[in-house]
Amino acid sequence: MYYLQNGTAFKAVLSAKLKFIILILAGTLALVGCKDSVEPSGTTNPPPKDTGNETVATPVINPGSGSFEGSVEVAITSTNTIATIYYTLDGTTPSTGSSVYRNPITLTESATIKAMGVMTGANNSNVATASITVTPVDPEPTPDNNPPTLSAIPNQSVQAGATIAFTAQSADLDGTIPALTISGAPTAAVFTDLGDGSASFEWVTTTSDVGDYTVTVTATDATDPTLKATTTATLNVTSDPVTTVSPPTINPDGGEFTDTVDVALTSSTSGAAIRYTLNGDAPSATSTLYTGPIPLTETTTIKAVAIVGALSSTVTEATFTATPPTDNAQPQINAIDAQSVKVGTLLTFDVVATDADGTAPSLTADTRPQGSDFVDQGNGEATFSWTPSASQIGSHTVEIVAADAVDPALTGSISVTITVTAANTTPPPGGEIDGVSHYFQFNEGDATSFADYIGGSATCTDCPDGVVEGSFGFAERFNGTSHLLTQSYDDRLAWPANANVSVEAWIKIDLSCATPETVVGRIDESGQTQWSLGCSNGKAAFDMTDSAGNTASLNGTTDIADAQWHHIAAVKSGNTVTLYVDNAEEATQTVAFSGDFIGNNAPLTIGGLTNGANFTGTLDEVAVHKVALTLAQVKQHFGDGHIGLRRGLLGCENNVKIMPMGDSITRGTGTSQRHSYRPYLFKDLTDSNYDVNFLGFFDDGLTVPGITYEHRVSAVSTKSAAFVNSNVPKWIDSTQENPERNTAPTPDIILLHIGTNDTDAGGNPVSVEENVSNVQALLNNIDGFEEFIDQEIVVVLAKIVKDITDSASEAKTSNFNNQLEAMALSRTDDRLILVDHEDALDYTTDMDDLQHPNNAGSQKMANVWRAKLSEFLPVCTP
């Protein structure tokens, strides 16, 4: 992904998993689904008016008009290398809303291509046109089916008691596998179709079998059973008894070889079956039956015996030693790029090794992360796979070795670096959160392993549904019968009798919760130790029993079985246990605990206990603390619920960076009559103990009596949404250097009030639809920058102050705000919050002119911003 500083927009290829929410002003939380990927975003800025500047060169379409068979690849170029090319395929004239050309276009059917070049500060190019005719290619005719073929089977004559064995081999030019059958075979004979076009025949004769037998083998076509091939053989059994069996002859009889050697086994005893081994074991009647030359590629000892009936020969053996050729080549492993993976995500990559000698090297990876798998496929290829846990965050090295097939001492190797990052994009320093022992964010979606942010993971065999909206990002829905997550016991769960601990979760109950259901807990089924946070009789519930049988049982008073999100928490401080629901204490109990809560290493479970009490509903942000939370902390976690427990716990480590962005209503004018909402908002936030910092590309240069505030702002008077969009890169990228801009980090939050100048008849009027489209392009641009820096930015988007120039302007503003809201609600993959300034002002007393609020109106705007920000900003100072 990249961007230019001359006003053009981001061109991005985005493939990250971004997590977003949409909040609406009324104070309700509209949580929408998350996507696993974001499509590339072009710009939809309107083409600039004719400014008298240069005109973009007409694009060149190559090849031009013509006729082609099957398909054709079409390229579009411009001598203005930074121009954006828009094109259509249906003969319509392109606009900046048309497709953006990035790569050659493959046409498989006829089309009329029209293309136009657009560049900021220049006139649009003329439209280039090419008519392409594509005619289909007739398919190749299907060939006639060929009959199978069958190799001849030699006649055989043996003495009674000997074994007659042979292999039948068929083929088919069509590539199919014929079926093989036999007729005329003795009853005791065994004929087996091996399914690969071959079949084996074996018959151990007896004295009662003396005579001649004619057998017929038939190969039947796999497609057309009427197509067959046959061959016959005569089998003769004589009455001369076998008294001794000659040992097999091994040819060649051992020695050194290079690359490969074929070894043949024979016996001078007619009808003798030869059995052999290659691993040094003595052969027997159950060893491999010799049916043809044995190919060897490595050092091997062959042992063979000839068998007739119950008689066996002595064992013959020979050792063959593989020696590398004098010019044996070293195996090579294809280069593998450095890898990056998030906790709880499966990482796989293929390894390919080659050898100039044509042999397949063996592959090993003895140095690799714990829990990873490395499988050698035996053909010079291997597969590495690994799902890292939270405890494995950091850098890891995989050492891969390829060993020569002939000389294992001859090797080649490479190292692959793997970087593991937390499932969350902003992991806490050191991989820990103060006072927290377990924390499950449930942002994996559908999965079988769920990362514990502090360390380890919870797994399942019958897993919950993860593609649901949570209190923050994804959540997991449990079915109340079989869904259960389990995390193995470790010392974090070894609570003594006097332990100070807390448990909390966001829950949404689907049904009535008439009987006890567990959200998170543990139970020792062999003893009596247990604790569980959940619901019962439609209300929150918490129970805990120590190893001595002392029990606390608390039940809430608020009905939470209403299919809405609720925050529940239980706190044990010494011997006092307290239950909280949605920011309020609902029950408390003091118990003289004398036993511990270790419980024979029972696991931590989510969505139920190991013996039942399964939860029906949706869970998010499940956490266990090794401290007793205070009431103030419980209230803060409840208040921070919309942005996740992680922000509530970590948000106070650094101040929250806010960038006001927009037009003159945002920037202010410097007169005593109107200063913008920013001074009032900054004062309100800091007076309310929020730790915030205002960022911006410009200094407003204002002085507001009685208010000290940060003067930075990214807003310009009289400018449109399209202009702001073109400046987003340098405004929000802290790496951009500009003498007008102070050095400041990238914002956490953007307050965006934009569109007034596009509705103003005296400004830059465009249609309502184009105005909304320009704001959408601006949001896309911010999305692209988020991917570029791997940081999520919350955008608080305003329904703008009404333009009261005349009734038409008022109606146009209202129409714009309605369409803006619909557009915002459709962006299900954004962390986007909507606020309403249109209905917040009294337009008879709160306006300084026909478009700008006075100071009283600016204070009301500040109130609207603050109300929404207070829903997710953490309180960080006493």
Side-chain angles (χ1 to χ4, degrees):
M1 193 273 288
Y2 64 93
Y3 59 84
L4 303 174
Q5 298 184 38
N6 63 355
T8 60
F10 285 105
K11 297 180 179 178
V13 177
L14 310 181
S15 60
K17 294 185 176 179
L18 302 179
K19 313 168 185 68
F20 302 92
I21 57 175
I22 294 180
L23 301 176
I24 302 177
L25 177 63
T28 59
L29 175 60
L31 296 133
V32 297
C34 296
K35 288 185 177 179
D36 279 346
S37 63
V38 183
E39 291 297 324
S41 302
T43 64
T44 54
N45 298 345
K49 298 178 180 178
D50 189 343
T51 62
N53 296 331
E54 65 170 317
T55 298
V56 178
T58 303
V60 177
I61 303 174
N62 186 30
S65 299
S67 298
F68 305 88
E69 287 191 355
S71 65
V72 62
E73 188 174 86
V74 179
I76 308 175
T77 58
S78 173
T79 57
N80 294 105
T81 58
I82 62 172
T84 299
I85 299 176
Y86 297 88
Y87 70 93
T88 63
L89 300 177
D90 58 1
T92 60
T93 300
S95 68
T96 54
S98 302
S99 298
V100 176
Y101 176 80
R102 292 185 175 87
N103 298 299
I105 308 161
T106 300
L107 297 179
T108 58
E109 57 185 27
S110 299
T112 297
I113 301 177
K114 291 193 174 184
M116 175 184 70
V118 176
M119 186 172 65
T120 301
N123 297 322
N124 296 346
S125 75
N126 294 326
V127 175
T129 303
S131 296
I132 306 294
T133 301
V134 180
T135 56
V137 178
D138 293 334
E140 294 292 332
T142 303
D144 294 333
N145 191 19
N146 293 290
T149 59
L150 191 60
S151 300
I153 299 172
N155 299 329
Q156 295 194 41
S157 178
V158 301
Q159 295 173 331
T163 298
I164 297 177
F166 62 79
T167 299
Q169 185 64 55
S170 67
D172 195 314
L173 293 176
D174 304 316
T176 56
I177 299 175
L180 295 172
T181 56
I182 194 169
S183 61
T187 304
V190 177
F191 184 84
T192 303
D193 186 349
L194 300 178
D196 59 357
S198 66
S200 63
F201 176 90
E202 186 173 354
W203 177 28
V204 180
T205 65
T206 66
T207 55
S208 62
D209 294 325
V210 173
D212 292 329
Y213 301 84
T214 300
V215 295
T216 301
V217 176
T218 302
T220 302
D221 188 82
T223 305
D224 183 0
T226 64
L227 298 178
K228 301 177 184 292
T230 61
T231 186
T232 60
T234 300
L235 311 179
N236 171 255
V237 181
T238 64
S239 59
D240 296 333
V242 175
T243 57
T244 60
V245 180
S246 300
T249 299
I250 302 176
N251 184 28
D253 60 354
E256 294 184 349
F257 69 93
T258 300
D259 294 333
T260 185
V261 61
D262 289 333
V263 181
L265 307 179
T266 58
S267 175
S268 60
T269 301
S270 177
I274 301 175
R275 303 277 180 169
Y276 68 94
T277 64
L278 301 177
N279 61 0
D281 292 345
S284 66
T286 59
S287 299
T288 304
L289 175 68
Y290 176 80
T291 58
I294 307 165
L296 301 180
T297 59
E298 58 186 24
T299 298
T300 306
T301 296
I302 296 180
K303 293 185 178 182
V305 64
I307 301 174
V308 175
L311 299 177
S312 298
S313 71
T314 58
V315 173
T316 303
E317 69 177 76
T319 298
F320 297 83
T321 303
T323 59
T326 56
D327 59 347
N328 191 22
Q330 180 186 31
Q332 303 293 323
I333 303 176
N334 293 355
I336 300 174
D337 293 336
Q339 306 290 309
S340 179
V341 62
K342 293 184 182 297
V343 167
T345 303
L346 174 64
L347 168 69
T348 63
F349 59 81
D350 295 326
V351 182
V352 178
T354 58
D355 194 313
D357 304 317
T359 57
S362 61
L363 289 162
T364 56
D366 294 332
T367 302
R368 53 187 170 85
Q370 183 178 3
S372 62
D373 289 321
F374 189 86
V375 179
D376 184 3
Q377 309 293 345
N379 59 353
E381 299 179 4
T383 301
F384 174 89
S385 59
W386 182 35
T387 302
S389 66
S391 63
Q392 294 173 305
I393 292 173
S395 181
H396 302 263
T397 300
V398 181
E399 296 286 349
I400 303 172
V401 177
D404 188 80
V406 178
D407 181 7
L410 187 60
T411 62
S413 65
I414 64 169
S415 296
V416 180
T417 300
I418 302 175
T419 301
V420 179
T421 59
N424 200 297
T425 56
T426 53
E432 296 182 357
I433 300 177
D434 224 14
V436 180
S437 64
H438 301 76
Y439 177 29
F440 298 89
Q441 295 176 285
F442 293 144
N443 288 334
E444 292 84 353
D446 283 325
T448 58
S449 179
F450 299 86
D452 178 349
Y453 196 72
I454 309 304
S457 61
T459 60
C460 51
T461 53
D462 192 351
C463 300
D465 179 8
V467 188
V468 294
E469 303 113 354
S471 65
F472 177 67
F474 285 136
E476 298 300 320
R477 177 179 288 126
F478 293 76
N479 62 8
T481 56
S482 58
H483 291 168
L484 186 69
L485 304 183
T486 302
Q487 183 179 34
S488 299
Y489 172 88
D490 59 41
D491 291 342
R492 292 177 290 176
L493 297 170
W495 297 352
N498 62 350
N500 293 328
V501 294
S502 306
V503 188
E504 66 178 321
W506 282 87
I507 73 172
K508 182 164 67 173
I509 299 173
D510 284 352
L511 301 176
S512 62
C513 192
T515 59
E517 298 180 8
T518 295
V519 170
V520 57
R522 298 176 64 224
I523 185 168
D524 174 13
E525 295 187 55
S526 64
Q528 54 188 348
T529 303
Q530 68 89 26
W531 61 263
S532 65
L533 175 67
C535 60
S536 181
N537 295 318
K539 300 173 177 61
F542 181 74
D543 297 279
M544 67 187 315
T545 302
D546 66 15
S547 58
N550 302 301
T551 299
S553 182
L554 292 83
N555 293 283
T557 57
T558 301
D559 185 1
I560 58 175
D562 55 1
Q564 301 298 317
W565 282 105
H566 294 279
H567 179 256
I568 61 174
V571 177
K572 177 182 179 294
S573 178
N575 287 331
T576 300
V577 184
T578 306
L579 179 65
Y580 299 92
V581 177
D582 290 343
N583 204 24
E585 178 184 319
E586 294 212 340
T588 186
Q589 184 178 358
T590 300
V591 176
F593 293 111
S594 59
D596 60 45
F597 298 89
I598 297 175
N600 291 318
N601 301 333
L604 180 73
T605 56
I606 299 173
L609 296 171
T610 53
N611 65 347
N614 293 82
F615 178 74
T616 304
T618 308
L619 301 180
D620 202 2
E621 300 289 311
V622 175
V624 180
H625 303 255
K626 51 192 176 185
V627 296
L629 296 176
T630 65
L631 175 60
Q633 288 173 314
V634 171
K635 288 183 175 181
Q636 179 178 330
H637 293 183
F638 170 73
D640 290 335
H642 298 313
I643 61 169
L645 176 62
R646 175 185 60 78
R647 182 62 174 273
L649 293 172
L650 296 181
C652 298
E653 292 186 1
N654 297 291
N655 59 18
V656 179
K657 298 170 285 294
I658 300 175
M659 176 177 286
M661 181 182 293
D663 47 28
S664 57
I665 293 177
T666 299
R667 180 160 185 163
T669 65
T671 69
S672 59
Q673 285 75 31
R674 58 176 187 260
H675 302 112
S676 161
Y677 64 83
R678 294 179 296 103
Y680 307 101
L681 176 59
F682 185 86
K683 182 177 186 303
D684 288 350
L685 291 174
T686 53
D687 286 351
S688 300
N689 296 325
Y690 290 110
D691 187 8
V692 298
N693 177 23
F694 277 15
L695 311 178
F697 194 79
F698 307 101
D699 188 320
D700 63 9
L702 301 179
T703 299
V704 182
I707 299 179
T708 300
Y709 71 105
E710 294 177 347
H711 294 258
R712 307 305 302 184
V713 61
S714 291
V716 181
S717 301
T718 75
K719 298 301 182 181
S720 65
F723 176 87
V724 173
N725 182 29
S726 68
N727 283 278
V728 161
K730 65 180 180 181
W731 285 1
I732 66 177
D733 183 1
S734 62
T735 66
Q736 291 286 304
E737 294 184 1
N738 191 290
E740 295 182 86
R741 185 214 171 130
N742 66 332
T743 300
T746 296
D748 299 307
I749 302 170
I750 292 175
L751 307 181
L752 182 60
H753 184 285
I754 192 68
T756 303
N757 291 313
D758 291 312
T759 64
D760 174 20
N764 309 283
V766 297
S767 68
V768 169
E769 292 74 12
E770 186 173 354
N771 197 1
V772 173
S773 178
N774 289 341
V775 177
Q776 174 125 305
L778 172 56
L779 295 175
N780 291 341
N781 219 350
I782 295 172
D783 283 352
F785 186 75
E786 288 176 335
E787 172 63 12
F788 178 69
I789 62 172
D790 195 23
Q791 174 182 323
E792 296 173 339
I793 300 173
V794 177
V795 177
V796 186
L797 178 64
K799 296 173 69 174
I800 64 175
V801 172
K802 190 182 297 183
D803 182 345
I804 57 173
T805 301
D806 51 40
S807 59
S809 297
E810 289 190 45
K812 190 173 183 181
T813 307
S814 296
N815 187 12
F816 167 76
N817 282 333
N818 291 336
Q819 292 194 34
L820 185 76
E821 179 175 7
M823 179 271 290
L825 293 175
S826 72
R827 294 178 69 89
T828 57
D829 53 356
D830 271 9
R831 185 176 292 186
L832 185 64
I833 304 170
L834 199 65
V835 297
D836 189 351
H837 289 301
E838 178 182 1
D839 294 335
L841 273 62
D842 182 340
Y843 288 90
T844 60
T845 61
D846 292 335
M847 298 296 287
D848 182 60
D849 58 22
L850 299 177
Q851 293 177 324
H852 299 84
N854 57 24
N855 289 346
S858 294
Q859 178 66 69
K860 289 184 178 180
M861 290 186 69
N863 295 342
V864 171
W865 291 117
R866 182 190 179 282
K868 187 56 64 178
L869 289 171
S870 65
E871 293 181 3
F872 61 91
L873 285 178
V875 176
C876 298
T877 57

